[in-house]
């Protein structure tokens, strides 16, 4: 008769749920967990290795001896387990797997909660059961929060290069705890609502920026311990700043200690290389047909959101998961059973993932980085949508950057590039993004995309940012672009903060900061983001002068905003704008202020509309519009 299982051990129900793909807290059973077995304290190890002949746990506690701690196989799924007494928190370990070929391979724990600092590749015992939280108010509010009607302005950050540590023993990295304070102070002053952190799950190669993950359940040790990471999330929450993580369920690297051929066979990846490999990236693709693999990923998403209180996940490379032929030539991919190029298993995975994450965690965000016209990415799974909360608007980003690169003389022939996004603005719930991808690989920084020299470059960038902030959709800007970084971003150095000794860069920073606070202060700029009632063109067709004018409406229509953006260096002394009512229009944002690098010319703060037709409207008022001028009026 089999002895009864202890509470911490893998039981029949655990195996059944894992085999069904529904064990949403499997991370509490698989991996390495500090436990007490009677009077003995130690660590319970469990690993899924279905095609392994034998598995043992090796570590600094047993001299890395393959024979010291063999693991017991649990059927029917092939989960190997062992209790090893006396093992302490902080110990390093790996699983030694004997493959069906008789080879010994050494793998890091897929469910490890901590990892050795690179270039080391071992997992590290960590006890994360009693993390310290004092963000209960934030978590309660999050549960009632509706992202559709709330402001979201995201600061995308790579911790390792936001600032570099001056002390040589720190390898240039600020710790999670140090970053918590420095980043919070900056983000609060600037007026962002959320930070999005790149490269948090453990990864071996700095140059991958965290997009080639080997430790899905371990905050990278570059910046400290799991407790330190929890401190940072908690501190940001206490200061009313949301935390979004980049999350990579699309692929994983081939590193020998990672998930690739985990038990000597394709365990986590598709066995068929036409489905299981990305030729361009040299990485492996998760097998979304296996319940245990889907469970690994869904439980991982829940782990960050529920265990570490993270507020949302930005899901990387969604298009590469949806299309079987993504980045592949003819002969490199296999069609689905209907002959199409859609990955049917990935589609079902997304519906399951988003239903579970958002069903269990009201107020959390699931954000798709999806670069195609795939329908209903933010649609409900019941309506055959994928179920994401938000989708990155890559189409807007492409049109915007291409337009902004143009010499102003040629913009009149491309006027519709800035208006086109409004034809599909309500087909999904969008985030307008100018992300890290736009300022690397010889694409130039945002400033150096701009035409001209000197004043023109800075003025172009500012009017572009104002247009972005006024346009429907949530907002995301990559770090450094808010003060007009000159160089492209590199993960190997800190941002060029020394530029803030120059008034032009300070002016851009002040400009973007005031836009962020204007955005947060005015419901018209966000509460009807997903509704036709929230936006109205005044003049979308003024291509000859390259001027765009539009209105953002609030729900109660009491505090609306009129935007006017001039994308040429030509001053319009007699600019007249049509308006819907014979009211007073109060100037609440003026790009010509000295602090923004303008002339500081005095002008009225209130403008009275008169009965004079303009822009197809019965009323209008005149305004002296400066070169690359931005004016926002409240009415």
């Amino acid at each position: 008769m089999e002895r009864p299982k202890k509470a911490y051990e893998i039981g029949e129900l655990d195996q059944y749920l894992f085999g069904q793909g529904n064990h949403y807290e499997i991370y509490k059973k698989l991996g390495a967990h500090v436990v007490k077995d009677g009077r003995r304290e130690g660590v319970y190890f469990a690993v899924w290795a279905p095609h392994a002949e034998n598995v043992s746990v090796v570590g600094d506690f047993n001299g890395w001896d393959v024979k010291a701690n063999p693991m017991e196989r649990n059927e029917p799924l092939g989960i190997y387990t062992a209790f090893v007494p006396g093992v302490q928190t902080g110990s390093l370990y790996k699983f030694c797997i004997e493959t069906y070929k008789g080879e010994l391979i050494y793998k890091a724990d897929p469910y490890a909660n901590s990892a050795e600092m690179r270039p080391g590749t071992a997992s590290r015992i960590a006890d994360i059961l009693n993390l310290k939280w004092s963000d209960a108010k934030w978590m309660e509010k999050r549960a009632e929060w509706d992202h559709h009607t709330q402001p979201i302005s995201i600061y995308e950050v790579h911790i390792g290069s936001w600032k570099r540590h001056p002390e040589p023993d720190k390898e240039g990295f600020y710790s999670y705890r140090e970053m918590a304070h420095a980043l919070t102070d900056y983000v609060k002053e600037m007026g962002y609502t959320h930070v999005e952190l790149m490269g948090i799950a453990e990864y071996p190669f700095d140059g991958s920026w965290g997009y080639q993950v080997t430790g899905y359940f371990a905050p990278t040790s570059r910046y400290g311990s799991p407790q330190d990471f929890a401190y940072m999330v908690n501190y940001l929450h206490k200061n009313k700043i949301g935390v979004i993580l980049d999350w990579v369920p699309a692929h994983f690297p081939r590193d020998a200690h990672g998930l690739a051929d985990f038990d000597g066979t394709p365990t986590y990846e598709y066995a068929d290389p036409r489905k299981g490999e990305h030729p361009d990236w040299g990485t492996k693709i998760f097998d979304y047909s296996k319940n245990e693999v889907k469970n690994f990923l869904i439980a991982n998403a829940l782990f960050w959101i529920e265990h570490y209180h993270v507020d949302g996940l930005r899901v990387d490379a969604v298009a590469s998961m949806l299309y079987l032929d993504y980045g592949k030539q003819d002969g490199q991919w296999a069609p689905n059973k209907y002959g199409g190029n859609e990955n049917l298993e990935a589609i079902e995975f997304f519906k399951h993932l988003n239903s579970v994450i958002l069903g269990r965690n009201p107020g959390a965000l699931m954000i798709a980085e999806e670069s195609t016209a795939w329908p209903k990415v933010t649609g409900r799974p019941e309506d055959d949508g994928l179920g994401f909360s938000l989708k990155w608007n890559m189409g807007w980003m492409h049109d915007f950057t291409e337009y902004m690169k143009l010499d102003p003389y040629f913009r009149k022939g491309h006027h519709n590039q800035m208006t086109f996004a409004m034809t599909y603005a309500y087909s999904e719930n969008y985030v307008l993004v100018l992300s890290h991808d736009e300022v690397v690989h010889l694409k130039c920084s945002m400033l150096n995309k701009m035409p001209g020299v000197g004043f023109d470059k800075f003025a172009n960038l500012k009017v572009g940012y104002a247009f972005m902030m006024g346009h429907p959709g949530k907002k995301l800007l990559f770090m450094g672009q808010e003060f007009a970084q000159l160089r492209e971003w590199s993960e190997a150095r800190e941002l060029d903060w020394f530029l803030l000794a120059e008034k032009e860069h300070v002016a851009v920073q002040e400009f973007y900061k005031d836009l962020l606070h204007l955005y947060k202060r005015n419901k018209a700029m966000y509460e009807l983001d997903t509704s036709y009632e929230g936006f109205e063109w005044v003049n979308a067709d003024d291509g000859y002068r390259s001027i765009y004018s539009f209105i953002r409406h609030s729900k109660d229509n009491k505090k609306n905003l009129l935007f006017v953006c001039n994308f040429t260096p030509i001053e319009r002394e007699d600019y007249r704008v049509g308006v819907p009512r014979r009211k007073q229009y109060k100037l609440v944002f003026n790009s010509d202020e000295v602090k923004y690098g303008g002339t500081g010319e005095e002008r009225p703060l209130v403008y009275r509309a008169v009965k004079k037709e303009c822009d197809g409207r019965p009323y209008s008022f005149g305004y002296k519009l400066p070169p690359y001028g931005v004016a926002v009026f409240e009415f």
Side-chain angles (χ1 to χ4, degrees):
M1 184 177 162
E2 190 181 352
R3 66 172 178 78
K5 296 280 186 185
K6 296 182 170 67
Y8 59 77
E9 293 180 311
I10 294 281
E12 286 181 16
L13 180 60
D14 295 310
Q15 291 218 58
Y16 173 76
L17 291 173
F18 187 49
Q20 295 293 307
N22 298 328
H23 199 322
Y24 299 132
E25 296 182 357
I26 189 63
Y27 56 84
K28 293 181 178 177
K29 290 297 183 78
L30 290 177
H33 301 281
V34 178
V35 297
K36 200 164 186 179
D37 182 13
R39 292 184 177 179
R40 297 186 307 168
E41 286 190 356
V43 172
Y44 180 72
F45 295 93
V47 62
W48 177 58
H51 299 107
E53 289 297 317
N54 291 291
V55 182
S56 60
V57 59
V58 296
D60 52 14
F61 47 84
N62 64 13
W64 302 92
D65 181 356
V66 171
K67 295 180 181 174
N69 296 109
M71 302 178 77
E72 177 187 346
R73 184 178 174 99
N74 293 255
E75 299 297 1
L77 297 185
I79 294 175
Y80 286 81
T81 60
F83 172 73
V84 184
V87 178
Q88 300 291 314
T89 300
S91 295
L92 298 176
Y93 71 101
K94 280 188 177 180
F95 295 118
C96 176
I97 295 173
E98 183 187 342
T99 72
Y100 73 100
K101 293 180 180 176
E103 299 169 342
L104 297 184
I105 55 177
Y106 293 82
K107 292 288 189 177
D109 179 0
Y111 289 83
N113 295 134
S114 183
E116 187 179 13
M117 176 70 164
R118 57 104 178 92
T121 58
S123 301
R124 189 183 294 279
I125 305 293
D127 187 353
I128 62 168
L129 279 178
N130 298 305
L131 300 174
K132 292 178 179 172
W133 299 105
S134 53
D135 62 350
K137 275 189 183 172
W138 172 271
M139 297 300 283
E140 284 167 22
K141 279 192 174 177
R142 186 177 91 181
E144 298 166 0
W145 188 73
D146 177 12
H147 67 274
H148 295 103
T149 60
Q150 295 299 316
I152 299 179
S153 52
I154 302 165
Y155 189 46
E156 188 188 25
V157 177
H158 177 266
I159 289 179
S161 58
W162 188 67
K163 283 189 177 174
R164 301 288 284 177
H165 209 291
E167 293 178 24
D169 65 328
K170 302 269 190 177
E171 269 207 70
F173 296 136
Y174 277 85
S175 71
Y176 291 119
R177 288 176 187 264
E178 291 168 324
M179 185 59 65
H181 293 265
L183 187 59
T184 295
D185 290 347
Y186 186 73
V187 166
K188 274 180 82 171
E189 184 192 351
M190 287 297 294
Y192 296 97
T193 64
H194 290 71
V195 293
E196 181 179 308
L197 303 175
M198 296 167 59
I200 294 300
E202 191 60 82
Y203 58 103
F205 175 50
D206 288 12
S208 81
W209 311 333
Y211 291 109
Q212 297 202 4
V213 179
T214 50
Y216 274 80
F217 289 83
T220 177
S221 56
R222 287 167 177 78
Y223 318 125
S225 68
Q227 287 75 15
D228 298 334
F229 175 69
Y231 176 91
M232 181 178 70
V233 175
N234 189 68
Y235 192 82
L236 284 159
H237 282 175
K238 299 245 315 180
N239 285 276
K240 299 181 179 160
I241 299 162
V243 180
I244 299 164
L245 298 190
D246 268 2
W247 188 60
V248 192
H251 64 126
F252 55 89
R254 298 169 180 267
D255 294 62
H257 69 287
L259 296 177
D261 293 313
F262 185 77
D263 62 8
T265 70
T267 311
Y268 285 86
E269 66 269 43
Y270 285 109
D272 183 344
R274 294 175 302 170
K275 287 183 82 172
E277 295 183 6
H278 272 304
D280 288 352
W281 301 341
T283 53
K284 299 280 193 176
I285 300 171
F286 282 104
D287 184 344
Y288 310 108
S289 70
K290 283 185 186 169
N291 287 340
E292 296 89 345
V293 173
K294 289 184 286 189
N295 201 148
F296 170 80
L297 290 168
I298 293 171
N300 183 245
L302 286 165
F303 170 77
W304 292 109
I305 286 171
E306 295 181 354
H307 196 81
Y308 276 113
H309 295 200
V310 163
D311 302 295
L313 300 175
R314 174 265 192 185
V315 183
D316 182 59
V318 168
S320 76
M321 298 168 65
L322 292 173
Y323 295 98
L324 294 166
D325 58 348
Y326 186 93
K328 296 175 182 177
Q329 306 298 321
D330 288 346
Q332 290 183 324
W333 65 281
N336 64 35
K337 62 185 179 182
Y338 302 115
N341 66 343
E342 305 89 356
N343 187 331
L344 305 175
E345 293 143 1
I347 295 166
E348 287 309 308
F349 165 74
F350 281 131
K351 292 177 179 179
H352 186 179
L353 168 78
N354 291 322
S355 299
V356 171
I357 301 295
L358 301 177
R360 285 172 57 128
N361 299 280
L365 294 170
M366 293 296 286
I367 305 169
E369 187 231 352
E370 203 286 312
S371 52
T372 75
W374 188 280
K376 298 185 179 180
V377 171
T378 56
R380 300 189 312 160
E382 311 81 284
D383 300 329
D384 208 27
L386 297 183
F388 283 95
S389 318
L390 296 163
K391 171 181 166 166
W392 275 24
N393 195 335
M394 312 293 272
W396 174 87
M397 176 275 299
H398 176 267
D399 290 344
F400 174 83
T401 52
E402 290 304 304
Y403 179 87
M404 294 306 301
K405 288 175 192 174
L406 292 168
D407 184 291
Y409 178 79
F410 295 109
R411 284 178 177 163
K412 56 180 173 283
H414 297 264
H415 194 72
N416 67 326
Q417 280 187 271
M418 295 288 266
T419 61
F420 179 63
M422 284 312 301
T423 65
Y424 61 86
Y426 307 111
S427 62
E428 302 278 7
N429 303 325
Y430 282 117
V431 187
L432 306 186
V433 293
L434 295 170
S435 74
H436 67 276
D437 277 328
E438 305 318 307
V439 294
V440 290
H441 302 324
L442 304 180
K443 292 181 189 172
C444 297
S445 66
M446 285 307 300
L447 181 71
N448 277 328
K449 290 188 203 302
M450 302 298 123
V453 293
F455 167 81
D456 287 84
K457 273 195 177 309
F458 288 96
N460 267 290
L461 186 60
K462 284 180 280 192
V463 67
Y465 283 165
F467 182 87
M468 173 186 179
M469 201 61 76
H471 194 287
K474 311 308 181 188
K475 324 296 174 190
L476 177 144
L477 188 68
F478 183 57
M479 65 180 196
Q481 308 317 304
E482 77 280 9
F483 61 80
Q485 169 109 357
L486 285 168
R487 294 190 288 179
E488 286 191 343
W489 170 63
S490 166
E491 82 286 344
R493 61 171 185 257
E494 76 171 13
L495 297 181
D496 293 340
W497 295 104
F498 57 82
L499 292 172
L500 290 173
E502 300 176 20
K503 64 182 182 184
E504 295 90 348
H505 294 275
V506 173
V508 174
Q509 187 186 46
E510 284 293 310
F511 186 86
Y512 197 72
K513 178 171 82 172
D514 288 355
L515 280 175
L516 286 168
H517 285 284
L518 181 77
Y519 172 72
K520 278 208 305 191
R521 251 192 341 264
N522 289 276
K523 290 181 178 180
M525 289 180 75
Y526 58 79
E527 70 176 356
L528 289 172
D529 255 344
T530 57
S531 166
Y532 286 98
E533 289 81 43
F535 179 89
E536 177 186 2
W537 283 114
V538 172
N539 192 338
D541 302 316
D542 194 355
Y544 181 75
R545 296 188 296 182
S546 298
I547 295 172
Y548 300 86
S549 51
F550 55 86
I551 294 169
R552 294 301 307 272
H553 291 283
S554 60
K555 269 184 186 173
D556 59 14
N557 236 14
K558 286 182 179 174
K559 198 174 175 186
N560 306 309
L561 295 176
L562 166 66
F563 278 73
V564 180
C565 300
N566 177 9
F567 281 86
T568 69
I570 299 167
E571 183 178 61
R572 304 290 176 182
E573 285 208 29
D574 56 349
Y575 180 75
R576 181 160 286 275
V577 61
V579 289
R581 297 186 189 90
R582 198 170 188 168
K583 296 272 186 184
Q584 286 189 340
Y585 292 78
K586 180 183 173 188
L587 183 64
V588 292
F589 190 89
N590 166 26
S591 65
D592 201 33
E593 288 190 36
V594 172
K595 66 176 176 175
Y596 305 143
T599 65
E601 179 182 330
E602 280 197 38
R603 58 186 71 221
L605 289 180
V606 177
Y607 297 79
R608 181 86 191 175
V610 298
K611 191 165 176 54
K612 185 173 183 180
E613 192 276 333
C614 183
D615 297 324
R617 295 165 186 271
Y619 309 109
S620 62
F621 67 88
Y623 176 79
K624 186 176 178 182
L625 189 61
Y628 302 113
V630 176
V632 183
F633 303 91
E634 180 188 298
F635 67 98

